[in-house]
Amino acid sequence: MESLQKIKHRINSVNSTKKITKAMELVATSKFAKIKNKFVDVENYYKNVQKLFINLVKNSNQDIDKLLNEHSLNFSVKRNLYIVFGSDLGLCGAYNSEMYKTIKNTIGPDDILIVIGSKLLSLINKDRSMHVIQTLTQIGDNPSYDIAQVISQKIYDVLQISLLKSVKLIYTHYINPIKADPIVQEIFPISAETISESQANENKEESIDPDSFEPNPDIILQNSFTIFFEASIYNALTNAKLSEMSQRRTAMEQASDNAEDLIDELKVEYNSSRQAKITQELTEIVNGSNS
């Protein structure tokens, strides 16, 4: 009888776990839908800001590198600044581990990092070779534009004091509900490749007349860096959060399915053990009556 009690206890235990994973799946689905509603708007805003900023760069005679690094300290090696986006919570599959793998394969020994997300930070802190200059944790499930402004200001401050080779974002780019891949996106300097790509995607109707910039592209460009950084970071934040919720929903759905399969197996085991015990008792009764 003890064996049957143990199996029954395991069934109840797995059933309780299944209820938790199912509830977490529903919560993740709700949060995913909420972020998905604003995802298209954020993406469109970023594309419009990027298009305007690249047009400013094309029509300006300013040297962007000198413009931003005017008062910077000249280190022996020009470093890259990476802003990396992870999650504050776990139970989202391989989301943070894939991000960490991409970071390890991308950054160099002299590069510096700004880390978003406590779970990703805990992975990075295990590697003493990485230089973290700032962290942001507990940013919530629906990050606001204020967070993008804080990170953007930090980038601008670093560019003012440290001669940087580039500024790059590493985040999980949302593709569809079952696919999201970590990518590396350079936001400074604006490369010739980025400008060419923008020109290729731009229709003649969408091109901006240089004379429409008032007072002129050079002055507007000087005040546009923070806006471009903010839009890029906010787009990355939204992609990262949407990918996180999508992967958490998938992970909890798989956990619920696995729990259901395990419960079915335990029920079969329970019924087999119960049937064997009944058969044994009947055999003992028959043998007792015959004797």
Side-chain angles (χ1 to χ4, degrees):
M1 197 66 179
E2 187 181 0
S3 176
L4 289 175
Q5 285 178 341
K6 280 184 178 180
I7 296 171
K8 200 168 186 178
H9 177 73
R10 285 183 66 194
I11 291 171
N12 291 334
S13 178
V14 175
N15 208 25
S16 298
T17 304
K18 181 193 160 189
K19 287 178 182 177
I20 294 170
T21 56
K22 195 67 182 174
M24 291 182 72
E25 180 192 339
L26 293 173
V27 170
T29 301
S30 173
K31 290 178 178 178
F32 173 82
K34 196 177 290 185
I35 301 170
K36 188 77 167 66
N37 287 337
K38 74 171 187 178
F39 174 68
V40 175
D41 292 335
V42 171
E43 198 170 42
N44 287 336
Y45 171 70
Y46 163 68
K47 286 178 179 176
N48 286 328
V49 170
Q50 184 190 44
K51 183 181 76 172
L52 180 62
F53 189 75
I54 288 175
N55 270 279
L56 282 168
V57 172
K58 285 191 298 184
N59 293 294
S60 172
N61 296 319
Q62 294 267 18
D63 186 330
I64 300 176
D65 200 36
K66 288 182 180 177
L67 183 65
L68 281 181
N69 289 298
E70 188 178 353
H71 306 292
S72 60
L73 301 173
N74 194 0
F75 290 92
S76 57
V77 178
K78 288 183 78 173
R79 301 178 293 179
N80 298 299
L81 170 62
Y82 288 93
I83 299 92
V84 297
F85 298 80
S87 72
D88 287 313
L89 302 174
L91 300 175
C92 48
Y95 178 78
N96 289 297
S97 58
E98 287 297 320
M99 269 296 299
Y100 179 68
K101 196 184 299 182
T102 304
I103 293 165
K104 282 283 289 180
N105 294 335
T106 305
I107 69 167
D110 296 309
D111 295 334
I112 52 179
L113 290 90
I114 296 174
V115 182
I116 294 97
S118 54
K119 287 294 179 183
L120 180 60
L121 179 62
S122 64
L123 291 173
I124 289 173
N125 282 340
K126 293 176 183 178
D127 189 338
R128 298 296 180 185
S129 66
M130 296 188 186
H131 309 296
V132 178
I133 61 169
Q134 186 171 358
T135 62
L136 277 88
T137 58
Q138 307 305 322
I139 61 172
D141 295 321
N142 194 9
S144 66
Y145 197 79
D146 295 340
I147 296 168
Q149 289 177 319
V150 170
I151 301 169
S152 172
Q153 188 57 50
K154 182 64 178 179
I155 295 171
Y156 198 77
D157 292 344
V158 173
L159 280 166
Q160 290 291 305
I161 62 171
S162 176
L163 198 60
L164 294 178
K165 185 179 179 182
S166 71
V167 178
K168 297 177 182 178
L169 310 177
I170 304 179
Y171 64 95
T172 307
H173 175 60
Y174 176 81
I175 300 170
N176 56 50
I178 58 172
K179 187 172 176 60
D181 297 323
I183 64 167
V184 181
Q185 177 188 343
E186 186 174 88
I187 60 172
F188 174 81
I190 304 298
S191 64
E193 183 183 345
T194 304
I195 294 174
S196 300
E197 187 178 326
S198 173
Q199 286 175 326
N201 295 332
E202 192 178 83
N203 298 325
K204 287 183 178 179
E205 293 81 10
E206 294 177 338
S207 60
I208 300 174
D209 182 4
D211 296 331
S212 64
F213 293 113
E214 294 288 345
N216 60 64
D218 291 344
I219 294 174
I220 299 174
L221 183 63
Q222 291 180 30
N223 300 298
S224 301
F225 283 103
T226 52
I227 298 172
F228 174 64
F229 289 155
E230 286 166 12
S232 301
I233 291 160
Y234 194 49
N235 179 60
L237 261 175
T238 308
N239 268 276
K241 274 297 171 185
L242 191 61
S243 302
E244 178 193 338
M245 292 305 166
S246 177
Q247 292 194 28
R248 180 171 290 114
R249 181 182 64 174
T250 302
M252 292 301 100
E253 184 182 3
Q254 289 174 348
S256 299
D257 291 343
N258 291 339
E260 187 67 47
D261 292 341
L262 185 55
I263 288 168
D264 290 341
E265 290 174 10
L266 288 171
K267 281 181 178 178
V268 170
E269 186 181 343
Y270 177 82
N271 291 332
S272 298
S273 298
R274 187 166 173 268
Q275 189 176 7
K277 194 165 187 65
I278 291 170
T279 303
Q280 184 183 353
E281 288 175 355
L282 287 172
T283 303
E284 288 173 357
I285 291 169
V286 170
N287 290 339
S289 63
N290 289 337
S291 62

